[in-house]
Amino acid sequence: MFNRIQGPRQLAAITCISLLAGCGLMSSGESDDTEPIVVGTTSAPSTLDPAASWDGSWELFRNVYQTLVAFPSGASEPKPDAAERCEFTDPSNSVYHCKLREGMQFSNGDKLDAAAVKYSFDRIRRINVKGGPEGLLGSLKTVEVKGDRDVTFTLNKPDATFPFVLATPAMSIVDPAEYPADAVRDDGKIAGSGPYALDAYTDGDKAELVKNDHYDGFAERKNSAVTIRYFKDSASMVGALRAKKIDATYRGLAASDVVGLQGKQAKDGIQLVEGAGMEISYLVFNPKDPWARKSAVRKAVAQVVDRGAIAHKIYQDTVEPLYSMVPRGLTGHTTGFFDDFGDPNAAKAKDILTRAGITDRVPLTLWYTTDRYGSATGAEFTELKRQLDASGLFDVTIKGRPWKTFEAGYRKGEYPAFGRGWFPDFPDADNFIAPFVGEQNALGTPYASKEITDDLLPQSRRESDRAAVVGQFKRAQQILVDDARLLPLWQGKQYIAASEEISGGERALDPSTIMMMWELQRKTSW
């Protein structure tokens, strides 16, 4: 998604690598245990209003709000949640109809009906927060309701990915009585219909969640209450886990802490759960820069960069090399950059430049954000500089800025090349291609590719069976490789560290790697 650092597929297995017995055991049914499970994360919400968020706030939203469809544990396609059923009603995938569950209520007891669903979508588009979720609704034409339970979405073009958009927490249903139609709610409260209700909230400190007695959906809550603690960094979060001040960690574990937990988990009574990650890191080349605009320069960089060294030396193998913008685990993933460029080779890179008439060292400045993607980002760019300079073909300068000024800079086209990270809005190859191409895209640097935007993506969106559009996605990825405007670097993994008393971590991440808090359970409550 644009500000997160994040079709049917097989989600790679989430494997418990704890040395402790019983890590994977689960019990069925909802828990009556009232002691909150305390979960730490470094990803604090920027807002409590879904109409204003296209970022890490989604991690809270998934647990306190409800969407028409969502991903149950282990699912690779959206399933009905607030809805009883949803489906396209036409062969072209242009009309999508949902029927709500009967007797739905918000956590405050107010009625949740079709009118509330329409209200929620209308206010996203009316408020249209800059950098907000309205950008996800580009294919939506109208929302119509019939009675209390029927909602029909008419699209302005075929879009088989629309159910995946509906499953994002950005499309959370809100109570019309408590959320103004034309402004963001900012009183620090939430009225949703998710598995939990927000009992108390302190900005930047904690969110206290209790069981929502009015909830009606697919989640089977294994606990009755969760407190989310927000930390500034991984070290303090892991320190709180070791001190038993929290029961589990979620987003934000640094590579060094992951490695430390792997080595000491048996001694400390901590289990580490490793999950498939959809986070990717990549370089963007600015076509307006006199050097970055040259195809030979971009391809020479692609030929020199050693992704394996970055993954091993900087991230201690908590990430893996990535050779396509579509990560491993998604239908349509390829290894195009490896297929075309192979292993890092300075001689081949020199030949690329020489054939383009470039014989002197190429001056290139690489920019990165200092405070968004983790403390290792600076070291990653230092390693990139070392690799490129060592080839004898480049003279690289690296510069960093805090996210707010960094973002403003790349949107103004100030950087020759810059680093970005991406978490998916939804688990489909479309969401790793479409946001980056076109005159208006997530990168602030226009990328015209008419074959992708006018042919391949529209073709793929007409097909509900996402496995049937592998050809379109492979072709789109090959275009990205041929252009080398975007250079994928690595794909992350997700880790949950938890006390040995907590189970369910291996089921707690949805396909977009958002934590479903209801899957966590204290073993003493069995």
Side-chain angles (χ1 to χ4, degrees), residues 446-461:
Y447 184 178
S449 179
K450 291 183 69 65
E451 185 178 355
I452 293 179
T453 57
D454 295 358
D455 297 330
L456 297 173
L457 289 176
Q459 288 171 22
S460 73
R461 290 169 178 172

Side-chain angles (χ1 to χ4, degrees), residues 106 108 110-111 116 119-120 173-180 185 191-192:
F106 290 102
N108 58 10
D110 287 354
K111 182 179 181 180
Y119 182 90
S120 300
I173 305 166
V174 300
D175 185 353
E178 296 208 20
Y179 290 77
R185 182 177 183 177

Side-chain angles (χ1 to χ4, degrees), residues 82-140:
E84 181 179 277
R85 65 178 183 272
C86 290
E87 60 188 351
F88 280 108
T89 59
D90 69 320
S92 67
N93 295 323
S94 298
V95 180
Y96 195 72
H97 173 262
C98 291
K99 180 175 281 292
L100 293 177
R101 295 174 186 260
E102 191 170 5
M104 295 289 288
Q105 292 179 290
F106 290 102
S107 57
N108 58 10
D110 287 354
K111 182 179 181 180
L112 191 167
D113 57 10
V117 175
K118 175 176 170 56
Y119 182 90
S120 300
F121 281 84
D122 287 347
R123 74 184 292 267
I124 289 173
R125 303 175 84 180
R126 184 180 298 114
I127 296 172
N128 193 15
V129 172
K130 183 178 181 181
E134 197 275 338
L136 285 168
L137 296 175
S139 64
L140 179 61

